[in-house]
Amino acid sequence: MDIMGIFKDKTKDINGYVVASLTDEYIVDTWPMTRNRLEGKEDKLLEVRVFDTQQEVKLFRTSMGREKAFRLRHIIDDEANTKESMDEVQILDIDMKKSKVLFEQSGEVYTTGGGRYYLPLKSMENAKIKIRHYLDRYEASGQARISDWRLVDFEGEK
């Protein structure tokens, strides 16, 4: 099975969200996807994260122009890996004034820099995303470091 087949298999039972970065597009949607499609866009794909509160499957490109340049990472939260973790909540970049009419019409918002994406929430007020950082230690010094991170959930009116 190729990497795309493995990705589809690992994400088939997730009911959550997807955040995808492509060379010419940024996609935010529910998972399974209701508004967008990734099929046929593999050549422009940089990273895709499919997640819910318990897990994240991340497909990412390691190099442009190479046929087998994708890697897959799957994190399932359990007592062992969340013992040394830290959650952070970030406010989403939304131009509230410019997005008002657009959000009412299509559920999309503008960023303060002018980009545009779908927001899978009922309200753009106080829209946030929860990120989980997994901690590890440098072997030589014992100093803590972030070894990985994942998207956990959108916060706001659902």
Side-chain angles (χ1 to χ4, degrees), residues 23-144:
T23 57
D24 62 348
E25 187 177 7
Y26 190 71
I27 297 172
V28 180
D29 202 345
T30 55
W31 188 265
M33 295 176 85
T34 56
R35 300 175 47 89
N36 299 285
R37 295 282 170 243
L38 291 174
E39 289 83 17
K41 299 180 180 180
E42 291 85 1
D43 60 329
K44 296 181 179 186
L45 187 65
L46 299 173
E47 176 183 275
V48 181
R49 292 173 180 265
V50 174
F51 61 96
D52 63 18
T53 58
Q54 297 301 309
Q55 64 186 316
E56 179 189 75
V57 178
K58 175 179 142 182
L59 178 71
F60 58 102
R61 185 183 294 272
T62 59
S63 174
M64 293 300 288
R66 287 192 6 218
E67 201 169 304
K68 296 188 178 187
F70 288 104
R71 297 285 183 263
L72 188 79
R73 189 266 284 128
H74 188 188
I75 293 178
I76 301 173
D77 284 340
D78 59 25
E79 190 175 315
N81 69 0
T82 57
K83 183 179 178 186
E84 299 272 337
S85 69
M86 172 181 70
D87 288 349
E88 169 186 18
V89 177
Q90 292 184 2
I91 297 169
L92 294 175
D93 179 15
I94 300 172
D95 185 325
M96 300 299 281
K97 208 178 225 183
K98 190 175 176 184
S99 297
K100 186 173 177 17
V101 173
L102 179 66
F103 186 74
E104 290 170 2
Q105 292 172 347
S106 67
E108 294 179 304
V109 294
Y110 288 108
T111 66
T112 55
R116 180 173 159 172
Y117 63 92
Y118 172 69
L119 181 64
L121 296 171
K122 289 182 182 173
S123 172
M124 63 180 181
E125 300 293 324
N126 298 313
K128 300 173 185 136
I129 191 157
K130 182 190 239 182
I131 299 167
R132 179 158 298 141
H133 300 277
Y134 299 93
L135 306 175
D136 198 351
R137 300 188 187 286
Y138 288 108
E139 195 172 311
S141 67
Q143 181 180 12

